Amino acid sequence: MSADVAGAPKPLQPAVSPQAPEPPQAAEFPQAPKSLQGPKSPQAAQSAEALDALNRELPGRVVTDPAVLELLRVDRSGVVADGLPLALVEAESVADVQAVCRIASAFGVPVVTRGAGTGLAGGGAGGAGEIVLSTLRMNRILEVSAAN
């Protein structure tokens, strides 16, 4: 408290307005900064070989429809990744996840793991040449280990 000229205390005034300004909306930032866009697309030959391997090992679980891939470039953050992902893989088991990681590693293709696409930091947005690994179909509890 501070005192006025007559000596009566008066409340201190805040230096900043009590209402903070509204944060910018995610749509105002459509592109991730270059430093956050991740690695560039792998060589076209490697991408084609990786896609062939995914289709061989995970038949029916690999999606390459450009309309679907376009939707995977963004999550709730509003960040739009650079370019289309190579493919969406809809994993149904741990073995599917292992296969995707093994193939991606063999061909040097980045993997982005995605759940429902509700992330707020751009981490689930698939960019150019990346494999988007969806875990949405992994929706059952198969084992509970009390020791772990």
Side-chain angles (χ1 to χ4, degrees), residues 39-58:
K40 293 296 177 194
S41 175
Q43 298 291 330
Q46 284 182 307
S47 294
E49 291 175 18
L51 194 54
D52 288 344
L54 287 169
N55 280 311
R56 267 193 318 276
E57 195 151 340
L58 301 162

Side-chain angles (χ1 to χ4, degrees), residues 1-2 6 8 21 23 40 58 60 63 67 74 81 83 85 87-88 112 126-127 131 142:
M1 302 291 270
S2 64
K40 293 296 177 194
L58 301 162
V63 179
V74 66
L88 164 67
V112 173
I131 297 169
L142 301 178

Side-chain angles (χ1 to χ4, degrees), residues 15 17 23 25 28 38 49 68 82 84 92 96 102 104 106-107 112 116 128 131:
S17 169
Q25 296 300 311
E28 295 174 26
E49 291 175 18
V68 173
D82 185 30
L84 283 181
E92 296 178 353
D96 290 351
R102 188 173 47 255
F107 293 100
V112 173
I131 297 169

Side-chain angles (χ1 to χ4, degrees), residues 9 24 37 59 83 109-110 135 146-147:
Q37 289 183 4
V109 179
T135 59

